[in-house]
Amino acid sequence: MKNILFNKDIIQRRVQELGRQISFDYSGHEICVIVLLKGAFMFASDLIRSLTPKVRVEFMKISSYAGQNSTGLVKIDQDIDYDIHNRHVLILEDIVDTGLTLHNLLDILYKRNPASIEICSFLDKPSRREVHVSVKYIGFVIENVFVVGYGMDYNQMWRQYPDIQIIEGD
Ligand code: PRP
């Protein structure tokens, strides 16, 4: 059973707003956009098309897993092949949940000495946060519900929906 939380028109409007804000903030600068696979692919595809500054697009695939401490660990499954030293990096994520993935990824990327790193996440689920992560650009804040669509999956399925749907029970 699925209910639509954000339909495709609302999503597109919000993504265009984000695009305008980011374009304004980075006006005159080149952005190195890092898209986190797989979940952010659809959001990134829409957002990047609305950006007006010079944009370089890179893709990264990471997975997080619980380590022996509560902050977890991140495994890089696919790294970027670009030196971000002195570059303005913008990470595109589909959802921030516990924050562990981004918290650990930031540690890794800051060691590469970029000029700046900001995060843009389509969704934010603050009630689930375990570690603080500063997310500058957020599409929508949601409650603690399980959502699919617009790139997000349940067991790798349903990423293709152009809207965001809530999964309720089984
Ligand atoms: C999801 C999502 C984020 C992460 C958020 O990725 O894309 O990267 O979990 O969770 P956190 O804030 O608790 O760390 P997932 O592992 O489902 O991979 P996917 O992007 O390939 O779907």
Side-chain angles (χ1 to χ4, degrees), residues 5 25 30 39 41 45 54 74 77 79 81-82 95-96 107 118 122 131 134 149 159-160 163 165:
L5 181 60
D25 290 352
E30 187 176 313
F41 82 95
S45 161
K54 280 179 82 177
V74 150
D77 299 318
D79 206 343
D81 54 1
Y82 177 64
I95 187 165
V96 186
D107 271 357
E118 299 293 352
F122 177 64
V131 287
S134 176
R159 294 188 195 272
Q160 78 268 30
D163 40 38
Q165 305 186 5

Side-chain angles (χ1 to χ4, degrees), residues 36-40 61-64 93-103 128-130 133 151-153 156 159:
L36 298 189
L37 298 173
K38 299 176 187 174
K61 188 165 187 332
I62 53 178
S63 38
S64 65
E93 178 63 293
D94 54 345
I95 187 165
V96 186
D97 192 36
T98 63
L100 291 171
T101 303
L102 285 172
H103 175 81
R128 291 262 305 161
R129 203 72 95 248
E130 290 179 21
V133 182
M152 280 163 271
D153 72 303
Q156 299 300 327
R159 294 188 195 272

Side-chain angles (χ1 to χ4, degrees), residues 1-161:
M1 185 68 194
K2 299 186 289 295
N3 292 319
I4 291 182
L5 181 60
F6 302 116
N7 70 33
K8 62 181 179 186
D9 295 332
I10 287 171
I11 291 173
Q12 291 305 320
R13 253 202 311 273
R14 182 68 188 124
V15 172
Q16 296 308 307
E17 279 174 11
L18 282 174
R20 279 195 294 276
Q21 190 187 346
I22 292 167
S23 296
F24 177 80
D25 290 352
Y26 285 89
S27 170
H29 295 280
E30 187 176 313
I31 318 172
C32 174
V33 168
I34 300 181
V35 182
L36 298 189
L37 298 173
K38 299 176 187 174
F41 82 95
M42 200 176 285
F43 171 50
S45 161
D46 285 338
L47 182 74
I48 289 167
R49 273 181 280 186
S50 73
L51 299 180
T52 54
K54 280 179 82 177
V55 171
R56 183 185 178 100
V57 183
E58 298 288 336
F59 297 91
M60 200 162 183
K61 188 165 187 332
I62 53 178
S63 38
S64 65
Y65 54 99
Q68 293 200 326
N69 61 40
S70 63
T71 55
L73 292 167
V74 150
K75 179 164 144 316
I76 298 180
D77 299 318
Q78 180 191 316
D79 206 343
I80 52 173
D81 54 1
Y82 177 64
D83 185 2
I84 59 171
H85 179 78
N86 275 343
R87 300 290 167 190
H88 293 290
V89 172
L90 179 65
I91 298 172
L92 299 190
E93 178 63 293
D94 54 345
I95 187 165
V96 186
D97 192 36
T98 63
L100 291 171
T101 303
L102 285 172
H103 175 81
N104 287 292
L105 179 64
L106 286 175
D107 271 357
I108 293 169
L109 293 181
Y110 271 121
K111 290 188 181 128
R112 302 180 187 181
N113 297 313
S116 67
I117 305 182
E118 299 293 352
I119 297 165
C120 175
S121 182
F122 177 64
L123 296 180
D124 184 15
K125 219 190 250 188
S127 61
R128 291 262 305 161
R129 203 72 95 248
E130 290 179 21
V131 287
H132 172 74
V133 182
S134 176
V135 184
K136 183 163 186 184
Y137 306 101
I138 295 168
F140 300 99
V141 175
I142 64 168
E143 303 292 316
N144 187 17
V145 288
F146 196 92
V147 292
V148 296
Y150 203 56
M152 280 163 271
D153 72 303
Y154 176 68
N155 286 341
Q156 299 300 327
M157 292 294 123
W158 301 341
R159 294 188 195 272
Q160 78 268 30
Y161 292 138

